[in-house]
Amino acid sequence: MSAPSTEITSRDAVVDAVRELLDNLPDKPGLEASRDEGRAVAAIIEPFGLPSDIVGAVYAYPAFREGFLDPKAIEIRDLKELPRLFLGLKQLDEFSLPRHWQPGEALAVQQSEALRKMLLAVVSDVRLVLVRIADQLNRLREAKNASEAVREAIALETREIYAPLANRLGVWQLKWELEDLAFRYLEPDTYGEIASALKEKRDDRVDFIEEFQETLQRALQAEGIEAEITGRPKHIYSIWRKMRRKDRGIEALYDIRAVRLLVDTVGDCYAALGIVHNLWSYIPGEFDDYIANPKENDYRSLHTAVIGPEGKTVEIQIRTHEMHQHAELGVAAHWRYKEGGGAPAAFDQKISFLRQLLEPTEDGADLLDQIRDDFFEDRVYAISPKGDVVELCANATPLDFAYQVHTQVGHRCRGAKINGRIVPLTYKVQNGDHIEIITGSQPQPSRDWLSPKLGYLAGARARAKVRNWFRQQDRD
């Protein structure tokens, strides 16, 4: 693995201690690759302003995972938080798509949603999920040198799990690259056609956009509006998705030529919109006000498309600098506002919740309890022998799991193994437990299972299945 060209620049004491520790490890085959991996993932998470102990863990985890870093060395350096974070990263590292799932096979919506929920639920610090998303992006980048089968497997996992999760958490800066790289590996011909079409027209488009920006900048300055105007990067996956949705060729899309205006206030956004529409005719049906009506993920911006010079269409996005920061970094952008002492005037309720989700509360409330109470409604997520994630109610037992898998599995249940060890049927399932049910040849439920005091079943549906079985026996 080659060393990344970018490297995190923080000189925080914890990060420095970790880097010094890694630099002083005895040289062994594979160590430098582990150090490179840590540096690469750390560079990806740098813009998100994560705490120093998490950044330090990101640097050190690959070396720890491969056995190059002795836990005792961590204790000597007084890096007490790292083992806890390593455990969380290890849990996420073991997470993957079901083993029986084949490339090209659609993953059930319910299953993919359960997988994403479980990613958030299995760790005590949800910010580690952001690290796992960054790690997935690094794996995608490195996969360009891997075999086609490996590239496809990583890309499928990304498309089904990590890109939607990045979108859910509002980490769009990572989402866009995850989507583009996954699309590139899964549909290389289509990706290449769109990339070539964009490249062929690039020189003409650049000259056109530069003149367009100069005209717009002069008009804004004449009205006293300070604006930063840039060309907007195009994401190939989003172009392909829009081509499919609108059933158009690439040249029929209005946003192939696109600019972005960043202004200081919401008032300036609407003033700039008026200037744009005075300069050029807008295209009916192509205006969206996501400031007055934000998207579900709290994305805010004005979108319009106009018929510019030479009759060419141009899409224009207008937003404040604060909105742009949020659009690039999502929820993580607000960590920085908070740390800097300032805060945006108002947040959508969902963003307020996501901030709580991604940063510990000041009163030290347990973050995982908060997630379960507010988001997962006291659910736990277990893993079947096939690798499927099974969603269960709080305090669920292996017997609840058996009935959730199939009624007959529950009726024939004789015992259970959790993570390879036999446990009583009253065991309380924990997030991430691997459960294997031991069955007999004939159904043989026990009436004890119906007693709440004995604790065999927590779920009402499972108890109803047991009652139905006994009713059937009584009728027979």
Side-chain angles (χ1 to χ4, degrees):
M1 189 187 304
S2 59
S5 58
T6 55
E7 185 176 326
I8 196 166
T9 56
S10 170
R11 286 293 179 264
D12 180 274
V14 173
V15 176
D16 281 348
V18 170
R19 291 166 67 151
E20 183 181 353
L21 180 61
L22 294 174
D23 288 342
N24 291 331
L25 290 175
D27 192 31
K28 295 180 180 178
L31 173 60
E32 190 55 37
S34 295
R35 285 195 285 235
D36 286 347
E37 182 184 340
R39 284 193 289 263
V41 179
I44 293 171
I45 67 167
E46 179 181 16
F48 297 98
L50 290 170
S52 58
D53 55 348
I54 292 181
V55 178
V58 170
Y59 266 111
Y61 176 68
F64 176 83
R65 182 192 64 212
E66 301 302 326
F68 298 119
L69 186 57
D70 188 339
K72 292 181 180 178
I74 296 172
E75 294 176 13
I76 294 171
R77 293 290 183 123
D78 198 27
L79 299 169
K80 298 174 183 176
E81 284 296 300
L82 263 58
R84 176 183 66 83
L85 296 170
F86 287 161
L87 177 61
L89 291 172
K90 185 174 186 294
Q91 286 177 301
L92 294 174
D93 228 6
E94 294 171 350
F95 181 88
S96 62
L97 288 170
R99 287 192 297 274
H100 66 284
W101 187 67
Q102 297 298 316
E105 179 183 333
L107 195 66
V109 172
Q110 183 179 3
Q111 179 64 192
S112 59
E113 178 65 14
L115 285 162
R116 291 192 288 272
K117 282 183 179 180
M118 184 182 157
L119 266 174
L120 292 171
V122 295
V123 288
S124 59
D125 191 330
V126 184
R127 290 172 296 186
L128 293 181
V129 176
L130 182 61
V131 174
R132 181 63 185 87
I133 293 171
D135 179 56
Q136 187 73 9
L137 176 55
N138 183 57
R139 294 182 191 192
L140 271 178
R141 289 175 177 176
E142 294 294 334
K144 65 184 178 183
N145 300 318
S147 67
E148 183 178 347
V150 169
R151 281 200 307 270
E152 190 173 82
I154 294 174
L156 284 165
E157 191 175 60
T158 300
R159 187 184 68 187
E160 294 289 343
I161 306 301
Y162 293 98
L165 185 59
N167 181 60
R168 178 70 59 84
L169 296 179
V171 191
W172 300 293
Q173 188 183 51
L174 302 187
K175 168 188 174 284
W176 289 323
E177 189 175 354
L178 288 168
E179 287 179 339
D180 269 17
L181 286 175
F183 181 53
R184 181 178 184 177
Y185 296 151
L186 292 173
E187 306 212 29
D189 293 340
T190 307
Y191 180 95
E193 288 172 10
I194 296 174
S196 296
L198 289 172
K199 189 174 182 180
E200 284 173 11
K201 308 291 183 181
R202 176 171 180 153
D203 291 340
D204 292 340
R205 228 177 16 251
V206 168
D207 293 339
F208 175 87
I209 288 297
E210 285 179 355
E211 293 179 14
F212 185 91
Q213 289 177 209
E214 289 173 5
T215 301
L216 182 54
Q217 190 71 265
R218 286 194 297 268
L220 291 168
Q221 288 174 347
E223 296 297 327
I225 297 176
E226 291 290 328
E228 179 183 331
I229 306 177
T230 59
R232 187 166 66 85
K234 295 306 305 171
H235 303 287
I236 290 178
Y237 179 75
S238 68
I239 292 174
W240 172 77
R241 193 166 50 190
K242 189 171 290 188
M243 286 169 63
R244 290 189 62 188
R245 187 173 70 245
K246 298 194 173 186
D247 194 23
R248 296 175 180 171
I250 190 168
E251 277 305 320
L253 297 181
Y254 296 132
D255 60 351
I256 297 304
R257 288 172 292 270
V259 298
R260 178 180 292 139
L261 277 68
L262 302 183
V263 295
D264 294 330
T265 67
V266 172
D268 287 345
C269 289
Y270 289 100
L273 177 68
I275 292 170
V276 168
H277 286 173
N278 283 334
L279 285 171
W280 302 287
S281 299
Y282 73 91
I283 300 171
E286 293 297 324
F287 171 69
D288 291 295
D289 186 346
Y290 295 120
I291 294 179
N293 301 290
K295 291 186 179 182
E296 288 185 2
N297 55 20
D298 199 52
Y299 172 85
R300 302 174 72 208
S301 185
L302 297 176
H303 289 196
T304 189
V306 300
I307 301 174
E310 305 173 30
K312 294 180 178 179
T313 58
V314 183
E315 188 199 58
I316 301 170
Q317 294 181 351
I318 306 171
R319 61 179 72 143
T320 65
H321 292 279
E322 178 187 312
M323 291 172 192
H324 181 62
Q325 181 84 341
H326 180 77
E328 290 295 300
L329 303 182
V331 178
H334 298 302
W335 304 339
R336 294 175 140 195
Y337 283 119
K338 186 171 182 181
E339 288 165 3
F347 291 136
D348 177 90
Q349 184 178 2
K350 184 173 182 180
I351 290 301
S352 296
F353 166 70
L354 283 175
R355 284 187 62 193
Q356 294 173 0
L357 189 74
L358 286 164
E359 56 183 36
T361 54
E362 292 179 4
D363 60 5
D366 183 82
L367 188 60
L368 184 54
D369 286 345
Q370 181 183 328
I371 295 165
R372 287 172 177 160
D373 291 343
D374 293 348
F375 196 65
F376 299 113
E377 300 176 349
D378 289 331
R379 313 300 285 174
V380 292
Y381 299 88
I383 304 172
S384 76
K386 290 183 176 180
D388 288 324
V389 174
V390 178
E391 185 173 346
L392 302 166
C393 63
N395 298 316
T397 65
L399 200 52
D400 284 295
F401 175 89
Y403 276 107
Q404 183 72 11
V405 171
H406 196 280
T407 301
Q408 287 302 314
V409 175
H411 289 342
R412 294 166 51 209
C413 179
R414 300 291 181 272
K417 289 183 179 180
I418 303 289
N419 303 322
R421 297 172 60 185
I422 292 178
V423 298
L425 291 179
T426 53
Y427 169 88
K428 302 302 181 188
V429 177
Q430 305 296 310
N431 276 311
D433 277 347
H434 290 253
I435 303 181
E436 179 185 349
I437 299 299
I438 302 168
T439 58
S441 58
Q442 299 295 324
Q444 197 176 356
S446 166
R447 291 190 185 273
D448 287 346
W449 294 357
L450 294 172
S451 171
K453 291 181 180 179
L454 296 178
Y456 282 101
L457 290 169
R461 287 181 61 189
R463 280 197 296 271
K465 290 179 179 181
V466 176
R467 279 195 294 268
N468 287 339
W469 189 85
F470 280 112
R471 287 195 191 106
Q472 184 64 44
Q473 300 308 305
D474 292 341
R475 280 198 293 271
D476 292 345

